[in-house]
Amino acid sequence: MKLLRFGPKGYEKPGLLDAQGQVRDLSGVLPDLTSAHLGKASLDRLASLNPAQLPLVAEPGRMAPIVADIGKLICVGLNYSDHAAESGMAVPSEPVLFAKATSSIIGCNDPVVLPRDSVKSDWEVELGVVIGTRARYVEVEQALDYVAGYCVVNDLSEREYQLERGGQWDKGKGCDTFGPVGPWLVTADEVPDPQNLDMWLEVNGKRYQTGNTRTMVFTVAHLVSYISRFMTLNPGDVISTGTPPGVGLGQKPDPVYLRPGDRMALGIEGLGQQRQTVHAWDPALIDG
């Protein structure tokens, strides 16, 4: 099942994608897709619906963030060994964790707005893991039972802020619009093996990233278990699990960074695609 939210900011509605790739309106069943609807009982109820009996949305317009109340966006750094190498960093012995501010979260095709005076903004296609059941000190063997589903995340990063401004990654990761998620949440039953998903990213039609989740240093199950030992993972929290090689920082002979007018396209097998246009600093594009 592919769950989604659509509509302009402040007027989003819940929906699902039917087998023909059409959006169906769920607002007659639930007011919005929130963390309260990600548990097994709620997902089973939604899965029992006949999509053909739900209103067809001919023009869904904007695809909104997949859950209305994402509580935490926890990210994993250097989780692909070849990406660590291109970044000039060692493969970590334990997962590297950092957080993106929830104010960075946007719909999958919303404008990406560069921070004022940004010169080193970068891209990162990543597998997002959406928590469905509260997880606290869970074992690896049971960890995937706490996952509601998966999504595409673009972990945009301002490298100067991240690496040259005092050592805190959060500075370069949590900028407004730097967390596109979606287009939909694919429930875990449709992703039997999250460690075998092809992923890619292009900028202005040029392929920069091509990878597969099987090359992760730490698996999804390991990450859910590990993170649950440092904080409670609540329904609606999202874990962004790291990126394969090909980021702008790692380009040779010189890094390549995002500029206004650039167009990104990215996707993960079975989880959909995102498309974003990069804009210079303009708060109206963030708030509008």
Side-chain angles (χ1 to χ4, degrees), residues 132-149:
T133 304
R134 179 175 291 177
R136 185 181 289 153
Y137 292 100
V138 303
E139 299 300 324
V140 173
E141 293 76 14
Q142 286 79 46
L144 294 185
D145 296 339
Y146 294 81
V147 174

Side-chain angles (χ1 to χ4, degrees), residues 90-166:
V91 175
S93 58
E94 294 188 38
V96 174
L97 305 182
F98 60 92
K100 290 179 83 80
T102 53
S103 53
S104 72
I105 297 171
I106 59 172
C108 65
N109 302 326
D110 286 351
V112 166
V113 181
L114 298 178
R116 187 182 295 173
D117 302 322
S118 167
V119 293
K120 295 183 179 180
S121 287
D122 203 349
W123 56 82
E124 295 187 11
V125 59
E126 305 200 0
L127 172 66
V129 179
V130 184
I131 300 298
T133 304
R134 179 175 291 177
R136 185 181 289 153
Y137 292 100
V138 303
E139 299 300 324
V140 173
E141 293 76 14
Q142 286 79 46
L144 294 185
D145 296 339
Y146 294 81
V147 174
Y150 302 90
C151 66
V152 182
V153 176
N154 189 352
D155 175 23
L156 287 143
S157 311
E158 215 299 344
R159 302 299 189 189
E160 181 190 16
Y161 299 179
Q162 177 190 358
L163 302 173
E164 302 172 33
R165 298 288 293 274

Side-chain angles (χ1 to χ4, degrees), residues 9 28 43 70 73 80-81 89 164 260:
K9 292 181 181 179
L43 292 179
I70 294 174
L73 180 48
Y80 290 71
S81 58
M89 300 180 186
E164 302 172 33

